[in-house]
Amino acid sequence: MFHLPFPVRDANAGSGTDPLGNLPEWDLSDLYTGEDAPELKRDLDWLEEACASFARDFEGKLADLDDAGLLDCVLRNERINSVAGRIMSFAGLRYYQITTDADRAKFMSDMQEKITNFTTPLVFFTLELNRLDDDALDAHFAANSDLARYKPVFDRIRAMKPYQLSDELEKFLHDLGVVGDAWERMFDETIAGLSFEVDGQTLNIEGTLNLLTEQDRSKREAASREVARVLGENVKTFARVHNTQAKEKEIIDRWRGMETPQTGRHLSNHVEPEVVEALRSAVVKAYPKLSHRYYEMKRGWLGLDRMEVWDRNAPLPMEDTRIVGWDAAEATVMEAYNAFDPRMGKIAKPFFKDGWIDAGVKPGKAPGAFAHPTVTDVHPYVMLNYLGKPRDVMTLAHELGHGVHQVLAAGQGEMLSSTPLTLAETASVFGEMLTFQKMLEKAETQEQRKVLLAGKVEDMINTVVRQIAFYDFECKLHDARRGGELTPEDINALWMSVQAESLGPVFDFMEGYETFWAYIPHFVHSPFYVYAYAFGDGLVNALYAVYREGGEGFEEKYFDMLKAGGSKHHKELLAPFGLDASDPKFWDKGLSMISDMIDELEAMG
């Protein structure tokens, strides 16, 4: 199945109106000029024939191939991936621009079905690879260095060996994938079609969530209550989507013999379960010194006896409420990237100049933000919902970091460029950190420094604490679903069970907040994705500490790490920096950076 990744950030959102300046839009013509482009028809025809001939030439014959034959097989498979990826990138990106457009939705669905049908005969490839003898495969690698380059791909495929079903069942599951995609689209279209009324204004979910960072507390409360009302009215639909997706996953996991609901994600992330558990344990243990301590301090700044959920992302009373125009946002991020290394600025520049960013908030546009790598012979595209808050500048820095990473990794080719989610957040969070430090450098007063530090701490809490709480919620949800259908009230209770623990005793939770799980797209699109954010943040904090210590050749090592894409394990990638994510103390190092910032804020009073 060819899925378009949908890594939408948690809504650390901002609100605003004009003057934002001239916001860029995508130019998708680097993929195809339109639905009826002759090149698209040409590629679809090629793909159908390429898949059929691949099956004819190789099915049942992998064990008999010599080194050159196996390499030819791998290269042909890679080319099929590339063409299919280009088609689905075009269809998906057009769809995300206006998810409420029936023609775009139909086009994406039609392309998904065609590609699923074309590629069904290819299912044998991974199944037969996993039946090859280890010694025979090692001999192939030893004899052919071009083939040996693909060993990390083989390793990842063969990690699934214990969970592989019969050829017939694997083909059946491959074909059935379009049904799961339909549930995902139903979620997207439902979310995009929701309408919220706040102070006489009709808004989509993005605009409404953005009001949660307004200076005016009554406006934040009104937005929160409206989100609760609308989600409450639609909660049965969202519960149905979650029940169906979790049940589908449970059936497939059970047939495959997966030990836990998380096993598949850990395998695709190329990360050991104990490393994720060490991260989770370190973060949960740190809740009191991170989120609990910070929000208690924030309660004092806001002059409140108790915090409500609409105060979590509230600006500080002394915060500048001006809107950051697009040109200023671009200048800030580009200055930070260039200051780190001019090569980074050079890679980032075309995103702004050549139609690689779609920035504006528009009716029907998918919420949140993402960077989609498309295919290695084109370039990434970044989607934002830019509303001019300082946090939106950080989101731009984040997504542009993904874009730079994807450009650098493209040199690995289609099968090796894709980075496991745990490492995919490295360049994005590092880009945010560079931008933050540049803004901190420019702070003219203690007050400005305090606002910036508090904003960064909040972003880190949202990225580390909140995402681990999300992960715990998902673990509970999938465990509970194994016992039977979950009512909306069941899911609400699971959500609330992780909220107070992670946010701390200073919070009250308004009636209706229990439904806020319903709008988080990761739970539907990518189960257990969320811990990758915490992994990435902890990893980057440790990396940034090495950079700050002035280690020699850091920039070169950093570029080498990004260029590696998915060709190396996290242990190999971090070794040149003297770091090891499997060491439990590694996570404490990253978390202590957040704690140190909270110390500085406490000292400011």
Side-chain angles (χ1 to χ4, degrees):
M1 289 295 298
F2 290 88
H3 295 279
L4 184 76
F6 191 72
V8 179
R9 281 197 90 205
D10 181 32
N12 301 342
S15 168
T17 53
D18 288 329
L20 295 176
N22 192 17
L23 296 174
E25 291 192 349
W26 280 334
D27 173 3
L28 298 178
S29 63
D30 288 345
L31 293 164
Y32 298 103
T33 52
E35 284 185 31
D36 53 0
E39 294 82 5
L40 177 58
K41 184 182 184 315
R42 176 203 68 201
D43 284 356
L44 282 166
D45 291 345
W46 180 88
L47 190 64
E48 185 173 19
E49 168 51 29
C51 291
S53 63
F54 185 90
R56 277 196 308 271
D57 294 348
F58 296 113
E59 189 165 9
K61 302 169 187 170
L62 256 59
D64 303 323
L65 294 174
D66 60 12
D67 312 328
L70 188 56
L71 177 61
D72 178 48
C73 177
V74 169
L75 293 175
R76 280 172 64 179
N77 183 65
E78 185 167 45
R79 180 73 189 134
I80 287 168
N81 272 284
S82 180
V83 174
R86 179 187 279 251
I87 294 166
M88 279 318 299
S89 292
F90 177 68
L93 293 173
R94 280 182 80 253
Y95 169 70
Y96 289 140
Q97 279 183 303
I98 317 177
T99 61
T100 48
D101 182 307
D103 290 338
R104 292 181 185 224
K106 174 180 162 44
F107 178 70
M108 185 170 86
S109 182
D110 289 348
M111 291 302 104
Q112 181 76 73
E113 283 192 28
K114 276 183 192 293
I115 287 173
T116 299
N117 291 338
F118 294 166
T119 55
T120 296
L122 271 58
V123 171
F124 80 88
F125 178 62
T126 54
L127 305 179
E128 281 192 38
L129 269 186
N130 281 345
R131 286 199 285 268
L132 294 181
D133 181 71
D134 285 344
D135 292 340
L137 208 48
D138 288 342
H140 280 310
F141 294 145
N144 191 316
S145 58
D146 289 336
L147 186 61
R149 243 194 95 237
Y150 290 93
K151 186 178 185 303
V153 178
F154 283 77
D155 289 346
R156 277 204 282 279
I157 290 170
R158 286 168 77 81
M160 280 296 291
K161 192 174 179 177
Y163 310 105
Q164 193 167 289
L165 300 172
S166 70
D167 293 15
E168 197 173 25
L169 268 176
E170 290 290 353
K171 284 182 180 176
F172 170 74
L173 288 176
H174 178 87
D175 277 355
L176 198 66
V178 293
V179 180
D181 291 343
W183 283 96
E184 289 179 29
R185 272 206 318 285
M186 181 180 167
F187 170 84
D188 292 340
E189 287 161 19
T190 305
I191 281 283
L194 295 180
S195 189
F196 303 81
E197 301 289 329
V198 185
D199 295 341
Q201 259 190 309
T202 303
L203 300 164
N204 64 6
I205 192 163
E206 192 74 21
T208 311
L209 293 170
N210 288 330
L211 294 177
L212 301 183
T213 58
E214 280 292 319
Q215 197 66 266
D216 181 345
R217 191 174 192 232
S218 65
K219 191 166 269 194
R220 298 198 304 272
E221 179 179 353
S224 296
R225 294 197 184 280
E226 180 65 356
V227 170
R229 182 188 72 79
V230 175
L231 292 181
E233 285 178 358
N234 291 274
V235 75
K236 285 184 178 175
T237 301
F238 292 119
R240 169 62 47 232
V241 172
H242 279 67
N243 267 293
T244 307
Q245 292 282 74
K247 184 61 183 175
E248 181 189 42
K249 184 175 183 347
E250 185 268 322
I251 292 167
I252 294 170
D253 285 353
R254 177 159 37 87
W255 275 78
R256 290 196 181 286
M258 297 266 180
E259 294 83 356
T260 71
Q262 301 84 5
T263 300
R265 176 62 63 205
H266 298 337
L267 284 168
S268 67
N269 281 347
H270 207 38
V271 67
E272 302 73 20
E274 56 273 19
V275 172
V276 178
E277 188 47 42
L279 162 66
R280 186 207 160 268
S281 300
V283 173
V284 171
K285 192 174 153 197
Y287 284 169
K289 70 172 184 180
L290 300 180
S291 46
H292 297 190
R293 185 162 64 118
Y294 174 76
Y295 288 129
E296 172 55 37
M297 194 161 49
K298 184 169 185 177
R299 180 194 64 75
W301 295 335
L302 295 173
L304 301 171
D305 293 329
R306 303 279 300 158
M307 293 269 276
E308 255 295 355
V309 290
W310 54 78
D311 299 315
R312 186 172 63 83
N313 282 329
L316 304 190
M318 72 292 283
E319 198 163 316
D320 185 357
T321 55
R322 74 191 164 84
I323 297 300
V324 183
W326 179 255
D327 289 348
E330 178 183 342
T332 300
V333 175
M334 286 298 289
E335 185 184 356
Y337 276 32
N338 277 311
F340 172 71
D341 192 303
R343 287 175 293 177
M344 201 156 160
K346 191 177 176 187
I347 296 167
K349 194 174 179 183
F351 282 84
F352 295 98
K353 306 299 175 205
D354 296 342
W356 300 3
I357 300 177
D358 197 297
V361 176
K362 287 167 271 197
K365 184 174 173 181
F370 63 77
H372 178 53
T374 72
V375 285
T376 53
D377 56 355
V378 186
H379 56 75
Y381 283 92
V382 163
M383 194 192 86
L384 306 169
N385 277 275
Y386 189 81
L387 286 157
K389 282 261 173 107
R391 275 196 172 117
D392 292 341
V393 180
M394 298 307 280
T395 301
L396 169 61
H398 179 101
E399 300 305 341
L400 203 58
H402 278 307
V404 166
H405 193 173
Q406 290 158 359
V407 169
L408 284 165
Q412 293 288 346
E414 208 59 48
M415 290 170 79
L416 284 162
S417 62
S418 181
T419 314
L421 291 179
T422 39
L423 294 162
E425 294 300 326
T426 308
S428 52
V429 180
F430 196 81
E432 269 191 85
M433 183 63 88
L434 292 173
T435 304
F436 164 70
Q437 294 292 349
K438 182 54 69 178
M439 290 163 85
L440 202 61
E441 251 175 57
K442 292 185 166 185
E444 291 165 12
T445 65
Q446 187 80 332
E447 208 167 69
Q448 284 179 357
R449 185 177 178 85
K450 182 177 181 176
V451 167
L452 283 166
L453 270 173
K456 185 61 180 166
V457 166
E458 286 194 19
D459 279 348
M460 287 170 147
I461 287 172
N462 280 330
T463 307
V464 177
V465 169
R466 192 157 162 77
Q467 302 299 336
I468 289 299
F470 282 0
Y471 176 65
D472 280 352
F473 164 72
E474 284 193 276
C475 292
K476 290 183 175 191
L477 176 83
H478 285 265
D479 281 346
R481 183 64 184 90
R482 290 183 170 206
E485 177 90 5
L486 301 174
T487 65
E489 291 72 26
D490 292 334
I491 303 176
N492 292 348
L494 295 175
W495 173 255
M496 293 309 293
S497 73
V498 301
Q499 293 301 306
E501 180 193 19
S502 62
L503 295 176
V506 74
F507 275 93
D508 291 329
F509 297 96
M510 67 162 189
E511 192 178 339
Y513 180 69
E514 63 274 9
T515 62
F516 275 41
W517 53 269
Y519 76 83
I520 312 289
H522 300 79
F523 300 156
V524 175
H525 284 278
S526 309
F528 306 108
Y529 179 111
V530 290
Y531 74 73
Y533 285 123
F535 194 108
D537 208 274
L539 190 153
V540 165
N541 287 348
L543 257 186
Y544 194 80
V546 174
Y547 173 56
R548 210 169 45 184
E549 286 157 15
E552 197 168 325
F554 180 92
E555 290 83 354
E556 213 54 56
K557 289 178 197 168
Y558 180 73
F559 276 101
D560 286 344
M561 178 172 72
L562 300 190
K563 283 176 189 170
S567 67
K568 291 181 179 176
H569 187 263
H570 62 79
K571 236 177 164 58
E572 266 184 286
L573 289 171
L574 292 173
F577 303 96
L579 298 170
D580 179 4
S582 60
D583 178 355
K585 294 193 187 80
F586 172 84
W587 300 112
D588 294 331
K589 183 182 291 190
L591 294 171
S592 69
M593 182 184 254
I594 309 175
S595 191
D596 289 349
M597 286 185 180
I598 298 173
D599 289 346
E600 188 178 340
L601 284 166
E602 273 184 340
M604 288 178 178

